[in-house]
Amino acid sequence: MQKEQILQAYETRHATKEFAADKTVAQEDFAFIMETARLSPSSFGFEPWNFLVVQNRALRDKLSVVSWGAQKQLATASHFVIILARTKQEMAADSDYVVNQMKNVQLLPENVITAKSAMYDKFLKQDFELFADERVMFEWAARQTYIALGNMMTSAAMIGIDSCPIEGFDKKQAEELLQAEGLLDKERFGVACMVAFGYRKNEPRPKTRQPREHLIRYVE
């Protein structure tokens, strides 16, 4: 793609409040969006996320009760995704999940696993001082899910699909609902954010952003 085309995708992307309910994103296009999520970078390459694609209308209705910021999106979106972040126990340096990532996903030799594990443990406990607080650990993992979220929305915009990131929900109630539905183990995951995809029903207002000189500083 040309740079102008990429910037145009950023210009036209907006937080779509209501979608055209009669329009559906093609499965191959949605698979492309989800692949950009899967390929997104994460700290230490540990991928602290899962993605729930909620197409069940009855479940969407239940979610709307605890998601004040997703009322129109839940009702009209072609695809609705809940992004989960892993908990402190999942992201500990010696957890089964992290060890499996290094051994069976990253395919690291044992000596590298030992060194990387020690480096990661130091990062959690000393460099960023994350490990002492369970909620801080979750928020660190959730922060990384926003990398995948941004990539999903950008890739969607580049192929003409609209989206809306959503934080307007009661986290505790949403997690309790998903656990009751057998879709969430709260020991391992929490809800980080949500995102809806589809085709806009209405044209948005012009995009507003601060000028470059207010945001960008070069240190020569």
Side-chain angles (χ1 to χ4, degrees):
M1 296 184 71
Q2 298 296 314
K3 285 180 281 187
E4 292 78 11
Q5 292 175 291
I6 296 171
L7 286 176
Q8 183 61 30
Y10 277 87
E11 283 285 352
T12 57
R13 190 218 63 78
H14 76 288
T16 304
K17 300 299 186 290
E18 185 174 6
F19 297 90
D22 60 338
K23 294 183 179 179
T24 302
V25 174
Q27 191 53 44
E28 65 180 50
D29 288 339
F30 186 70
F32 161 75
I33 294 168
M34 294 310 301
E35 185 66 359
T36 66
R38 189 184 74 87
L39 293 173
S40 295
S42 58
S43 186
F44 291 86
F46 287 157
E47 306 172 62
W49 47 55
N50 255 204
F51 304 89
L52 290 178
V53 183
V54 182
Q55 300 303 87
N56 182 283
R57 291 291 164 175
L59 180 54
R60 285 198 192 187
D61 289 343
K62 293 177 182 179
L63 281 167
S64 69
V65 176
V66 300
S67 304
W68 53 267
Q71 297 295 296
K72 291 183 178 180
Q73 293 93 336
L74 278 163
T76 62
S78 170
H79 290 73
F80 193 89
V81 183
I82 300 174
I83 305 181
L84 307 178
R86 292 183 182 270
T87 61
K88 174 183 175 178
Q89 74 171 35
E90 284 283 287
M91 296 307 297
D94 60 353
S95 71
D96 291 343
Y97 174 75
V98 168
V99 171
N100 181 72
Q101 279 290 113
M102 291 188 287
K103 183 176 182 180
N104 297 316
V105 178
Q106 298 175 351
L107 303 176
L108 301 176
E110 287 298 326
N111 64 316
V112 175
I113 289 175
T114 299
K116 184 171 182 175
S117 180
M119 181 191 306
Y120 175 57
D121 192 58
K122 178 179 178 293
F123 166 80
L124 294 180
K125 295 176 180 177
Q126 297 180 37
D127 297 342
F128 267 49
E129 297 182 344
L130 301 169
F131 200 71
D133 190 308
E134 186 169 338
R135 184 56 187 257
V136 170
M137 277 291 291
F138 173 78
E139 293 300 335
W140 172 69
R143 201 160 68 216
Q144 294 173 67
T145 70
Y146 280 64
I147 302 172
L149 171 67
N151 287 341
M152 293 165 73
M153 293 191 298
T154 299
S155 64
M158 291 172 76
I159 59 172
I161 295 170
D162 294 306
S163 63
C164 185
I166 297 158
E167 287 186 319
F169 56 89
D170 185 307
K171 179 178 181 294
K172 181 179 180 181
Q173 290 184 25
E175 289 171 353
E176 289 174 350
L177 170 60
L178 293 173
Q179 181 167 263
E181 295 287 329
L183 299 171
L184 178 72
D185 179 351
K186 290 198 295 181
E187 295 296 313
R188 300 179 60 211
F189 291 99
V191 177
C193 59
M194 304 174 181
V195 57
F197 296 95
Y199 295 96
R200 67 188 68 180
K201 181 178 180 180
N202 303 305
E203 287 302 312
R205 294 177 299 172
K207 189 182 292 291
T208 58
R209 292 293 188 273
Q210 294 183 58
R212 295 180 185 87
E213 59 268 24
H214 290 185
L215 301 172
I216 303 168
R217 294 187 295 164
Y218 289 88
V219 182
E220 303 292 350

